[in-house]
Amino acid sequence: MDLQKLKTFSTVASLMNFNQAAEVLNYAQSSVSAQIKALENDLDALLFQRVGKRVKLTPAGEKMLQYTHKMLAIEQEARNEIKGEAAGASLLTLRMPQTVAACHLPMALPAFQKRFPNVNLDVTSCALFSLEHELSIGTVDLAFLLTDTVSAASLDMEMIRTETLVVAASPGHELAGKAGLGYKSLDGRVLFLPKADCGYRMEFEQALTLERVRLGSLIEMNSIEAIKAAVANGMGVTIIPRISIEHDLKTGRLIELDWEEPMETGLLMIWQRDKCFSPALDAFMDAFRRGAAGF
């Protein structure tokens, strides 16, 4: 695939304007249009669609932009490695749950950025069903999941730490103060869960099914902060890593319900087996290990 066409596509996608992209690239507008058309023909897919006087990415264009960013970053990384130069602007694509991004990523970034100040990070939440494919084709460099294991022969993984799970509610919730609560205690209750894939969430739902618990309702949200806000307002309960609500517990915004059995989940770091680690990726993995361990 022609890297020049990918650079043109990336520029148009960032500006959403063919004329402005032509000015930035120092091309004639007709040349930009011709390159995008040639790329679309090569892919047999429409990448942009016009909406009035504006353009926007099609679903195919949005997917292609992810691959484009990665391919251009790999090109730059290869040039730097071959020339023996210090790392220039490159990209690491990371997938991790919001709890991990909020609580552990900030601990890893200072040491990593000190060594690789020009490396860009693309951090988004996980989707377990597509994770193995994304790692195998290289659109994702490294992933993290809150689970104890992942069954995938093509992946390698490392247990970074164990997270304590708690069932949390507002101080005024009717289950507050009751001892020895179990799954049956949630009969008729409202349960808030994160929408993104988490192993602990699936295990909790399986336990509810085995205990024949009939929830009042299950509300899935993309935001951990939104879940905490809803629970703090007395709208229901949630199961959540303790580390993500430490401040809320200290301030009394949320309380930990007295659950009958302790619950834990692992934090896994996952990568494609036999992957060739770039210096930046290797440094990030080391920084994350140290940050999660509190070093």
Side-chain angles (χ1 to χ4, degrees):
M1 194 169 289
D2 190 332
L3 289 172
Q4 188 56 61
K5 292 186 179 69
L6 294 180
K7 291 175 183 177
T8 299
F9 168 62
S10 177
T11 304
V12 176
S14 67
L15 297 172
M16 288 301 169
N17 188 295
F18 278 68
N19 289 327
Q20 290 178 9
E23 291 178 9
V24 169
L25 295 168
N26 198 28
Y27 291 156
Q29 194 274 336
S30 59
S31 177
V32 171
S33 297
Q35 288 189 48
I36 297 300
K37 183 63 177 176
L39 183 59
E40 290 178 328
N41 289 339
D42 187 27
L43 296 169
D44 194 23
L46 188 67
L47 300 176
F48 294 98
Q49 64 182 28
R50 295 193 177 276
V51 182
K53 295 183 178 180
R54 303 178 60 191
V55 296
K56 73 173 188 176
L57 287 167
T58 63
E62 292 175 356
K63 291 180 182 179
M64 188 59 202
L65 187 59
Q66 296 178 27
Y67 289 104
T68 297
H69 286 162
K70 197 63 188 175
M71 285 187 279
L72 293 178
I74 290 172
E75 180 217 13
Q76 184 61 55
E77 183 179 298
R79 289 180 183 276
N80 294 333
E81 284 289 310
I82 291 170
K83 293 179 180 178
E85 297 177 351
S90 58
L91 174 70
L92 291 182
T93 304
L94 311 172
R95 297 287 181 264
M96 60 182 66
Q98 288 185 33
T99 294
V100 178
C103 300
H104 294 308
L105 182 58
M107 302 300 103
L109 286 180
F112 173 72
Q113 290 182 321
K114 185 176 181 180
R115 291 186 59 188
F116 292 90
N118 296 321
V119 173
N120 300 317
L121 299 179
D122 177 359
V123 183
T124 56
S125 59
C126 294
L128 183 57
F129 68 91
S130 62
L131 190 56
E132 183 176 7
H133 175 67
E134 291 178 325
L135 286 165
S136 69
I137 64 176
T139 55
V140 173
D141 293 302
L142 191 65
F144 297 84
L145 285 177
L146 289 167
T147 188
D148 293 320
T149 186
V150 173
S151 298
S154 66
L155 302 180
D156 279 334
M157 60 202 72
E158 177 183 337
M159 179 70 76
I160 297 296
R161 57 177 284 155
T162 299
E163 300 289 356
T164 299
L165 299 171
V166 299
V167 180
S170 69
H173 194 276
E174 54 191 334
L175 293 179
K178 293 187 177 182
L181 296 173
Y183 297 103
K184 281 292 187 182
S185 305
L186 299 182
D187 260 323
R189 313 289 181 187
V190 178
L191 177 64
F192 288 85
L193 290 176
K195 194 173 185 66
D197 291 299
C198 291
Y200 75 81
R201 174 230 163 110
M202 291 184 280
E203 291 172 10
F204 194 76
E205 286 186 291
Q206 288 171 2
L208 291 175
T209 300
L210 290 173
E211 293 287 335
R212 294 185 171 86
V213 174
R214 293 188 177 183
L215 297 171
S217 63
L218 171 62
I219 300 178
E220 298 177 292
M221 290 186 170
N222 281 321
S223 167
I224 293 293
E225 289 303 315
I227 289 176
K228 293 198 295 182
V231 172
N233 285 332
M235 298 174 63
V237 303
T238 188
I239 177 172
I240 197 167
R242 183 199 295 274
I243 192 172
S244 66
I245 60 168
E246 290 284 7
H247 179 71
D248 302 277
L249 294 175
K250 289 178 181 178
T251 60
R253 183 180 182 223
L254 295 173
I255 62 165
E256 178 184 346
L257 296 180
D258 184 23
W259 204 249
E260 62 184 350
E261 58 183 66
M263 293 183 289
E264 295 179 335
T265 187
L267 169 54
L268 294 182
M269 181 164 64
I270 309 166
W271 61 92
Q272 175 67 20
R273 179 162 294 173
D274 300 324
K275 181 178 180 65
C276 181
F277 293 167
S278 67
L281 179 57
D282 191 56
F284 179 85
M285 293 170 72
D286 184 62
F288 193 93
R289 291 186 191 101
R290 291 175 173 273
F295 295 151

